[in-house]
Structure formats: structure tokens, C-alpha cells
Amino acid sequence: MGKEIRKDYNAHEVEEKWLKLWKDEMYYFDWNSEKPHYIIDTPPPYPTGSFHIGHALNWCIIDFIARYKRMNGYAVMFPQGWDCHGLPTEVKVEETYGIKKGDVPREEFRRLCVEFTEKNIAKMRETARRMGYSIDWSKEYITMYPEYFSKTQLSFVRMYNKGLIYRDYHPVVFCPRCETTIALAEIEYRQGKTKLNYIKFDDDVIIATTRPELIPACVAIAVHPEDERNRHLVGKKVKVPTTDYYVEVIADEEVDPEFGTGVVMICTFGDRQDVKWWKKHKLELRNIVGRDGRLNEKAGKYAGMTIPEAREAILKDLEKEGKLLKQVEIDHNVGTCWRCKTPVEIIPAEQWFVKVEKEKILEAAKKIKWVPEHMYSRLESWVQSMEWDWVISRQRIFATPIPAWYCKNCGEIVVAKEEWLPVDPTATQPPEPCPKCGSTEFRGETDVLDTWMDSSITPLVICGWPELKEYPTHLRPQGHDIIRTWAFYTILRSLALENQIPWYEIVINGMVFGEDGRKMSKSLGNVIVPEEVVEKYGVDALRQWAASGVIGDDVIFSWKDVVAASRFQQKFWSITRFTLMHIADYKPCEEDRKYLRDADRWILSKLNRLVGEVRKHMDEYRFDEAIKAIRTFTWYEYADNYLEIVKNRLYSGSEEEKRAAKFVLYYVLDVLTRLLAPITPFLAEECWSHFREGSVHLQSYPVVEEEFLDERAEKAGEEIKEIVAAVRKFKHDKGLALNAPLKKLIVYSKLDGLDVRDIAGATNAEVEVVKEMPEVRERVKALKPKFAIIGPMFRDKAKQLIKAVESLSDEDKEKLLKEGTIQINLDGASVEVKAEWFDAVTEKSIEGREVEMLETANSVVFVEI
């Protein structure tokens, strides 16, 4: 303490310094710790190789919480996971090596995926460290490694044995580009324009459809039973265009008679409504779309075509036959794969499913505290809209193998026993014969598990499952975009495996938008990467920006906010530097409290109220309000007011006066640094290191010290602040230097016992306090003419009029101002002069001394220059 420190704060140097000095062990979580535990179920990001700005926002929020909880005496588990499996990696590997997944053995392809992912994890791990996240790296988990995916397989086995996982032939959503099934939650709906085609099936039956390519898959035609235009068609057999077969017209209440012609074709399958009708009316299954996205032999002459090709060919044929009556452009929502944005199809397939017990899930979700509260309704809406169970099998390679085989002799499904795990059924055989027929020949399951099967057990895994150390976890922080996936699946799986909620609380953050208010995208050129911000302004400035968003709301990235954050860091550094200069030889002493003056007690009281306010905001995850309150107090109340007020005492005061001021400086820097530590860890650590031992991150978070709360001192301090500000403004308006001496300040205040020592010091004036309001005499010193009025009215006599007014007695001048008019003699004629033609220059005096009078809310100050 006391060592000379540079004037300018260099964020990059400071951050690099502490990244080298900080030890991972500082944040290790110990299950045996006697402190209360706080376990965070952190999101395991997909290892793309870079943290995007949304990641930065989410992890900053998690880190604010983790650091705050630690400083409040909790043993915090803040693990880092990596959700590795999935199609994007497969695609990147295929692109990198110029291969397709089927070109090399499965194990070789998987090895390439693992290698690629490990490199990406290394890059993202480095970014996470650079951002100052207080992660417990000893609790890191990687879903593609056997120690993790064996638990995914164990969860599959246990749920299968409970009857919660089953295999069935059922329509599923399929992505032709990814060549795999996807879950309903993985569909993204994109708005666009399409053609509504009016097609004549026969003279009575005209259908309006956006999907003419599915005409060969038509298995029925439907009308609303109360539609007077069309209900006569019910029971009629109609030939399907482009084919040689007939279908029947049926009635169904879910047909919208207002759409198109009120007549719809039911295809297997155009959309989820088709699936409902197919099940309800027990219709034929005519699947014409293959897994490659091309039409099959059931499509007749259109077989082998892609869907767009088939659409064009069928419309052309219908037009030739005179059956394409018209086309109308309409707005249209298209279901696409959330990974590759390709329009999805619905095809029937043999797949693995997880049972969705809607009511049980919603009942459990209500026991969780949702922040913001309204986010629960998003989960509720999603669950209530679900029509199918969760399809969990994927036709890929880089994912957790489904631990199952099929007996070649009798077809029996053999699911692995727990003790066999982990297992890859494509590489090994079951160690036991078929339980049904005794055969030892099996075909291993080649499908793999949906990656959400890995990530939906994160709270269980971090708590040691299957031998849980404690459960549920305390917190799940995540984005609102994955409520219907990660949050939903995690609740489902926790109930299925442990019959418990996974966490007590879920905190939902929003997405990050570009400065133009639009979703970030490369095509719009509004993408900001964290590295760019860090390179320009440092990590803590980016973290302050992250704190400025409201939990649950989408956040617009703003360079202006980052710049403001950087300026605040320089301000805080300047305050630290000023403080250290004055407390270099000071050791805090309780004895010094008795020397505290009104200004000292004022700022200490305000500071402790700030502590209470910030704690409330931090407890409620209102980091925006917390950082705003800290910055406002620090910059305006403390730096601009208290430090300016107390400088005279620090430089010229008695030893006792100095000690009181130094006590405050030490105390305030100590508290403010700890308040800032969760949000700006590097700045806080650097400031702390110059005047205290150890790491600020191992200190306790400030608590309100009730003995410093002082309403009387707050009122007195505010009055001292207002008086000093009024005198400074007076000096500024008079063109005087702020440190220019004044003869005297005479203060009459409604507040009893106002301490004027710091007023005298800050204004460089002797201060006298009077108990009674002095009698103020005011005389008109001069009347300044308004030439813009008088000139045009009196022309060449204007100067004569002005001279006549100037020669008036003081009494007549006061009469003019009071009554508004006065008569004067001008060239022998009586002229009425008005007060509004002049600006009055008055002079106040008390006890015969000329003074300027300033007023504040509770005081009147007379300035004798």
C-alpha cells in the first residue's frame, strides 16, 4: 500500500496479470465443505470453437451469481461441461476431410469427430478463462467421453426398464439434409411466401393446397360436416390426379371451411394435422418421401425426384390437363430443421421414443421458481401443444450409442444390462444369449441418441448420479430459446430417473441483438464477437455491459455502453489512486470514528444504504440495477461530492480531521471494491491488491452496518453538498476560479447544528451560521434597458429616455418595478415608461454589507465577496 501507481488504468495489462496469478483451486468445490452448498447446473455449450456474444452474456450472468454466492459464505459448484455430440460436427468433419460419414468405418469417423471437438473445446476453454469466469475446472465434463455417455446409456436402460422408453413404428419429423429424425422441439418455423394452388380433382372437388408434390400421397379428402357448400360430397369416391387410384371424401370438424375451397386432401404426411386425421380415421399409409428427401416408387413417374423437382413437374402436368385452375401467393410458415434450416418432412419409421407425461411435468415445473416468473408459461404452452412423444433415435454416428441389439433369429430387442455399460452395439455383441430364443447372433442398433439425451441429465451427473451426493441442484441458468428443449427435457428426465425436480430455481436470460436492434447474423453484418470487445476495452467492460441487461429480456449490444463501462473503470481507478495517496501511512482504527464529521457520516450512511440496495438487486438477479446503483454512488455522490468536499481536510486539516477523512476513504474503497468484485473481477482484484492482503474474491460480500445508518447525518450531508454546489455554481457564473477565496458565507439553515467545517474548506471561505434569518435589504442598483424594445418605439429620443430613467431616484426605480409603470417628462411631454422595457440589477445587503443570496432546499446562504 502506498506504492506509486500509474495514472491510467490499463485493462489489458491488469487482466493478463491476474490470469497468470489466479489459481484454479480458488474456485474448487468440496462436497465435504461445512459451508452451505450452492450447485449451479450450467449450460454445456456446443463446442463450435468460439464463444459467441450470447454465450458471453449467459456465462457472465452465471459468474455474477457464483462469485456473489461465494462471497456470501457458500461453497459454490460452478462446473463447465461440453455438449459434444451432434450433426454440426459431423458436417464439419465431412467438409474438412472431403468425405461422407459412410465413406469410412464408424469408429474412424467418430475418432475424427472427437479430434475435431477436442481442438474446439481447447479454444473455448481458453476464452472462458480469459473472460474471468470463476469455473471449477476440476468438475469439467465432456459428453462424448465414455465416463459421461455411459451415464446417458444408464439413464436409457433405467427408463426402458420402467416402460418410459419404447420402440415403435410411427410418423416422425425427418430432415432430408441431415438424414435423421428430429424432435418436435427442434423444428423452427420460418415465415415466407408460397403459392396456394387451386387443383381440380373432379367437377365437384376443387382443392387448394400449398403442397401439390404430395398429391400421390393423398389417402382421403375431407370437408367440414356443417359446410353447406361441400357436405354433399361426403362418401363420394374421387380419383386422385396424376395417379390411377380413388379416395373417399370424409367429414371432420377440424377442417377449416374458410381456407381455400373448404376441401382439403389428407396426405401421409404433409403436416401434423395429417397425422391426427390418419390416426383418427384409420386411413391407409402412402408414404412417398424417402429418407434421402426424394420421392419413392409409390409416386409413380415422379419417383427419384427431389421435393422441389416433383412440385414443379406435378404442377406442369396438372396445367397441361387443365386441372391447375389458379395460383394465389400467400404468407406461409414452413417448418425447418433448426440446425440446417432445410424444410422438414414427416415420414413413418421405426424409432425409439420417450413417453411424455404432460401433467406430471407441469406439476413438477410449478414447484420450481422461474425467474422471470412469466417464463413458466412458455414451458406450459409447449408441453400442452405436444401431440407426440419425444423421438430420441437419430440416424447419425457421432452421438451416444443406443445400448440395444436385435436378435437375428427371432427379432427380440435386447437392451444392455447396467453392468455392460458403456457399450457400442455396432462393435460388440451382448455377453448373454437371446432371452427369448437362446440365439447368440445379434444385429447391433446403428441409430444413436438425440444429443438432448446427453445434456438433459447434467444436474444428475454433476451431483454424482447414480449415487447422488445431494439433489436437486440449486440453480439452472439458461436462455429462453431452449426452454422447450433443455429445460423441458431435463425436468422430464429428472422425474423419470429420480422422481424429483432437477433444480429449485431457473433463471432465464434473453438473446443478444445487434446495435441495429435485429438478430445478429453475418449477412446483416451486425455480429459482434466477444474477442473484438475484449481487444478494444477489456473483459470487465464487456462484463459490465452484460450486467446492464434485464434478466429475461433480449439485450441489444451497445458499444456506447461498453465505452461508458470503460470510463467508469478509469474513474474507479482514479478514486483508488487518490485514496491510496492519502492512506499510505494510515492504519484503520476504531478510535477514529469519534472524529467523524457530518459529511463523513453522510457518505457512510449513504454507502450502507447502497450496500442494502445492491444486495437486494443481486439476490433478485437485477444486475442492471446493481451496477447502475454502484456506478451512480461512486461517480456522483462519492467522487464528485464527498471527495471534493473533504479535500481541504485531507490537505490542510488537523490530525484528527485528517484521520476521520482517511477512515472514510479506507472504508469506502474497501466496501466498493467488494461490491464490484462479482461484476468486474479484474478491476476489483487489482484495486484490492494495492491496499489489502489476499484476494478480494476470498473476502465476504459487504453487509449493511446498521451503526452507520444515520438519517440526521444524511440530511446534514445533503445540505452541505447542496450549499457547496450552490457556491461553486456562483463562482463559475461570476468567472471565479473554484478555489478563489471568498470573504465570508453567512448561512441560515432550517437544520440545527449544521457542521460547516467542510463547507468552509470546500468553498475557501469563512462560514458563519446564524440562527435567525437576517433582514435582507434590497435596492435597485441599475435598470438595464432592452434596446430591442425601446429603440424602435422612441427612435432618436431613445437615449434621452434611457438617461431620464437612469436619473430616477432609488425610490422611483423601485416604484417602477413594483407598480409596472411610471410617468417621466420627455421634452416637456409626460411619457408612460413600463418596467418590462428594462432588466433590473438589484443589490442585496445584510447589516450594511453587500452580499449575494443563494438558496437551497433548507438553507439561505449569503456570499460576501
Side-chain angles (χ1 to χ4, degrees):
M1 188 169 74
K3 185 178 74 173
E4 181 65 28
I5 60 174
R6 64 196 298 168
K7 189 173 182 180
D8 295 326
Y9 181 70
N10 188 317
H12 296 102
E13 278 186 20
V14 168
E15 288 163 11
E16 285 170 20
K17 166 187 169 182
W18 290 108
L19 285 171
K20 288 174 185 170
L21 291 174
W22 281 336
K23 303 295 182 191
D24 286 351
E25 293 80 0
M26 190 158 65
Y27 305 122
Y28 281 178
F29 172 78
D30 180 5
W31 283 109
N32 298 316
S33 172
E34 291 183 4
K35 294 179 180 179
H37 293 178
Y38 191 83
I39 301 167
I40 306 173
D41 177 26
T42 49
Y46 194 76
T48 58
S50 63
F51 261 91
H52 58 65
I53 199 79
H55 284 139
L57 173 69
N58 199 20
W59 264 258
C60 282
I61 289 167
I62 301 167
D63 197 50
F64 301 156
I65 297 168
R67 289 183 180 278
Y68 176 67
K69 288 292 182 181
R70 272 193 215 98
M71 292 180 77
N72 276 288
Y74 288 87
V76 175
M77 187 204 281
F78 178 1
Q80 181 62 57
W82 307 100
D83 187 15
C84 308
H85 290 134
L87 183 72
T89 296
E90 292 194 8
V91 171
K92 285 289 184 185
V93 167
E94 287 174 340
E95 288 174 0
T96 303
Y97 295 98
I99 58 173
K100 285 289 182 185
K101 62 176 182 176
D103 296 346
V104 294
R106 286 175 72 94
E107 203 42 55
E108 173 63 11
F109 188 77
R110 182 175 172 82
R111 185 189 67 76
L112 294 174
C113 290
V114 168
E115 203 173 83
F116 177 83
T117 304
E118 285 175 338
K119 288 177 184 173
N120 282 350
I121 287 174
K123 290 178 197 169
M124 293 178 75
R125 193 185 282 130
E126 190 58 37
T127 303
R129 287 182 178 280
R130 180 73 186 85
M131 288 294 296
Y133 302 142
S134 58
I135 290 165
D136 179 351
W137 290 104
S138 72
K139 300 292 188 295
E140 185 181 33
Y141 60 87
I142 298 174
T143 62
M144 66 182 178
Y145 290 164
E147 53 265 33
Y148 189 98
F149 78 68
S150 63
K151 295 192 176 187
T152 304
Q153 289 187 328
L154 175 62
S155 69
F156 176 95
V157 170
R158 290 195 174 179
M159 287 177 67
Y160 177 82
N161 292 335
K162 287 181 177 182
L164 297 173
I165 288 180
Y166 63 94
R167 186 169 171 79
D168 193 14
Y169 187 76
H170 190 276
V172 291
V173 180
F174 191 84
C175 173
R177 164 66 184 80
C178 301
E179 297 178 3
T180 184
T181 52
I182 65 172
L184 294 175
E186 295 172 308
I187 301 173
E188 275 186 2
Y189 288 93
R190 299 198 150 203
Q191 278 195 326
K193 300 283 186 183
T194 193
K195 295 273 177 61
L196 182 62
N197 305 279
Y198 286 76
I199 296 164
K200 182 178 174 182
F201 274 51
D202 74 9
D203 291 340
D204 290 335
V205 180
I206 296 168
I207 288 170
T209 179
T210 58
R211 305 245 9 221
E213 68 276 12
L214 292 181
I215 286 175
C218 179
V219 292
I221 292 168
V223 298
H224 195 281
E226 294 176 13
D227 181 359
E228 290 183 9
R229 294 172 303 160
N230 297 309
R231 63 184 177 189
H232 68 281
L233 298 172
V234 176
K236 182 173 182 175
K237 297 279 188 180
V238 180
K239 187 172 183 290
V240 178
T242 75
T243 76
D244 56 4
Y245 71 92
Y246 288 76
V247 296
E248 185 177 346
V249 180
I250 63 174
D252 193 283
E253 293 81 3
E254 291 194 60
V255 175
D256 180 3
E258 301 301 318
F259 181 78
T261 61
V263 184
V264 298
M265 63 176 184
I266 300 172
C267 303
T268 51
F269 296 98
D271 57 22
R272 285 152 67 184
Q273 182 60 51
D274 280 346
V275 177
K276 284 175 72 175
W277 281 328
W278 172 71
K279 283 183 177 179
K280 179 179 176 181
H281 297 287
K282 297 183 173 55
L283 300 171
E284 175 197 354
L285 178 62
R286 279 185 65 85
N287 177 45
I288 65 167
V289 181
R291 292 191 170 202
D292 58 358
R294 293 180 180 273
L295 272 58
N296 60 28
E297 69 284 351
K298 286 186 180 177
K301 70 175 185 176
Y302 308 110
M305 294 183 183
T306 63
I307 286 165
E309 289 168 351
R311 178 179 303 173
E312 191 177 338
I314 287 174
L315 285 173
K316 195 174 284 185
D317 288 347
L318 290 170
E319 194 171 12
K320 279 181 192 171
E321 295 173 26
K323 293 191 173 183
L324 179 58
L325 303 181
K326 66 173 178 177
Q327 292 180 304
V328 178
E329 189 174 69
I330 61 168
D331 292 323
H332 190 51
N333 276 343
V334 180
T336 63
C337 171
W338 77 333
R339 294 183 184 90
C340 69
K341 315 309 176 193
T342 302
V344 295
E345 298 296 334
I346 297 174
I347 65 169
E350 192 86 27
Q351 299 288 321
W352 291 91
F353 295 87
V354 166
K355 281 185 180 175
V356 175
E357 299 174 305
K358 294 185 184 183
E359 293 310 314
K360 190 175 180 182
I361 290 166
L362 290 177
E363 191 181 321
K366 285 176 185 169
K367 295 176 184 174
I368 298 163
K369 182 181 178 184
W370 291 74
V371 181
E373 194 175 343
H374 69 264
M375 288 293 175
Y376 167 79
S377 63
R378 294 201 184 189
L379 179 88
E380 185 178 43
S381 297
W382 168 247
V383 174
Q384 288 175 343
S385 71
M386 289 189 74
E387 295 162 358
W388 306 346
D389 284 335
W390 173 20
V391 58
I392 57 169
S393 43
R394 301 288 181 268
Q395 293 70 53
R396 304 301 303 179
I397 292 174
F398 186 49
T400 297
I402 295 176
W405 297 263
Y406 305 94
C407 176
K408 287 185 178 179
N409 184 51
C410 70
E412 178 74 1
I413 297 174
V414 175
V415 170
K417 292 184 178 178
E418 292 186 12
E419 58 270 23
W420 301 353
L421 305 174
V423 67
D424 180 355
T426 65
T428 60
Q429 293 285 293
E432 296 175 3
C434 174
K436 189 173 180 182
C437 71
S439 172
T440 55
E441 291 194 20
F442 297 90
R443 174 177 61 83
E445 173 63 87
T446 56
D447 281 2
V448 291
L449 288 171
D450 177 5
T451 56
W452 293 112
M453 284 289 283
D454 289 330
S455 58
S456 58
I457 57 168
T458 54
L460 292 163
V461 171
I462 64 175
C463 288
W465 189 82
E467 302 300 326
L468 288 170
K469 293 181 171 70
E470 65 181 78
Y471 201 72
T473 62
H474 297 85
L475 181 71
R476 154 67 68 86
Q478 67 163 71
H480 63 58
D481 58 324
I482 50 174
I483 288 174
R484 68 180 192 175
T485 47
W486 196 35
F488 167 65
Y489 292 143
T490 306
I491 296 168
L492 182 158
R493 301 261 274 143
S494 185
L495 292 172
L497 294 164
E498 290 296 326
N499 200 30
Q500 290 194 67
I501 55 172
W503 351 269
Y504 294 113
E505 198 168 5
I506 180 167
V507 171
I508 309 289
N509 66 278
M511 302 295 99
V512 182
F513 287 76
E515 283 201 297
D516 57 5
R518 294 186 288 179
K519 192 173 180 180
M520 285 190 183
S521 77
K522 289 178 183 175
S523 62
L524 292 173
N526 64 351
V527 174
I528 299 292
V529 294
E531 287 82 2
E532 183 185 354
V533 184
V534 171
E535 192 178 317
K536 287 182 179 176
Y537 297 102
V539 170
D540 280 342
L542 178 57
R543 290 175 64 107
Q544 283 190 70
W545 163 78
S548 68
V550 178
I551 286 292
D553 289 359
D554 291 330
V555 186
I556 292 178
F557 178 80
S558 166
W559 281 110
K560 186 177 74 173
D561 290 346
V562 174
V563 171
S566 177
R567 286 179 181 153
F568 171 73
Q569 286 167 204
Q570 178 59 54
K571 185 70 175 180
F572 195 82
W573 182 247
S574 299
I575 291 168
T576 302
R577 193 167 169 272
F578 177 84
T579 300
L580 295 174
M581 184 172 69
H582 287 284
I583 63 171
D585 56 351
Y586 175 73
K587 288 184 180 175
C589 173
E590 290 297 306
E591 183 76 7
D592 294 338
R593 294 191 183 203
K594 69 183 183 184
Y595 304 131
L596 295 175
R597 308 193 73 93
D598 275 356
D600 303 324
R601 293 189 185 94
W602 161 67
I603 204 68
L604 291 174
S605 187
K606 295 278 280 188
L607 176 64
N608 276 278
R609 292 201 192 280
L610 172 74
V611 169
E613 184 184 348
V614 170
R615 290 190 71 93
K616 180 176 183 291
H617 294 321
M618 294 294 285
D619 287 336
E620 294 173 354
Y621 311 112
R622 289 303 306 265
F623 309 113
D624 57 321
E625 294 291 348
I627 191 65
K628 180 181 169 186
I630 294 169
R631 291 192 339 190
T632 300
F633 172 87
T634 303
W635 201 305
Y636 301 108
E637 297 287 27
Y638 187 57
D640 287 359
N641 286 296
Y642 177 76
L643 291 183
E644 292 302 321
I645 287 168
V646 83
K647 273 181 182 176
N648 180 266
R649 252 195 290 154
L650 286 167
Y651 289 112
S652 310
S654 67
E655 186 57 30
E656 289 177 356
E657 287 176 338
K658 285 181 180 177
R659 289 195 69 82
K662 288 178 182 182
F663 175 90
V664 174
L665 263 60
Y666 189 100
Y667 182 95
V668 174
L669 186 60
D670 175 286
V671 170
L672 287 179
T673 306
R674 286 184 289 139
L675 281 179
L676 277 170
I679 295 173
T680 57
F682 295 99
L683 173 68
E685 190 76 300
E686 180 67 11
C687 294
W688 188 265
S689 71
H690 286 280
F691 85 115
R692 296 293 298 271
E693 296 295 321
S695 169
V696 70
H697 302 298
L698 298 178
Q699 310 306 315
S700 62
Y701 203 72
V703 293
V704 176
E705 294 190 61
E706 300 286 340
E707 65 268 30
F708 284 123
L709 296 179
D710 187 334
E711 283 189 28
R712 193 214 71 83
E714 283 186 44
K715 286 177 184 175
E718 287 299 318
E719 198 54 35
I720 291 168
K721 178 180 84 173
E722 294 301 323
I723 290 171
V724 170
V727 174
R728 287 185 157 214
K729 183 179 183 301
F730 167 79
K731 285 185 175 182
H732 176 271
D733 293 346
K734 291 288 185 184
L736 300 171
L738 291 180
N739 62 352
L742 299 171
K743 278 186 189 175
K744 196 172 192 179
L745 299 181
I746 298 161
V747 178
Y748 165 72
S749 181
K750 297 174 188 174
L751 301 180
D752 289 335
L754 189 65
D755 179 359
V756 297
R757 165 63 183 88
D758 287 318
I759 297 174
T763 59
N764 197 7
E766 179 192 341
V767 180
E768 178 188 347
V769 178
V770 292
K771 292 187 176 180
E772 292 184 9
M773 180 69 178
E775 183 183 349
V776 181
R777 294 183 63 87
E778 186 173 9
R779 76 177 188 88
V780 181
K781 194 174 182 181
L783 291 173
K784 291 177 70 177
K786 295 179 182 178
F787 291 104
I789 297 172
I790 296 171
M793 288 179 68
F794 291 90
R795 299 184 181 277
D796 57 339
K797 293 186 178 180
K799 285 184 180 178
Q800 194 179 342
L801 176 108
I802 292 167
K803 195 170 183 182
V805 171
E806 283 176 350
S807 64
L808 289 172
S809 66
D810 288 350
E811 289 78 12
D812 283 342
K813 287 176 183 175
E814 286 178 13
K815 180 182 176 185
L816 169 61
L817 293 175
K818 187 176 180 182
E819 297 179 4
T821 63
I822 196 169
Q823 296 290 326
I824 65 165
N825 189 291
L826 194 63
D827 278 348
S830 181
V831 176
E832 184 183 47
V833 175
K834 295 186 178 180
E836 61 197 44
W837 299 350
F838 298 87
D839 285 321
V841 179
T842 61
E843 177 183 88
K844 294 184 178 68
S845 64
I846 55 173
E847 299 171 356
R849 292 177 289 178
E850 185 180 336
V851 293
E852 296 275 356
M853 189 169 84
L854 312 176
E855 292 187 69
T856 66
N858 290 295
S859 304
V860 179
V861 180
F862 300 98
V863 183
E864 191 176 353
I865 302 175

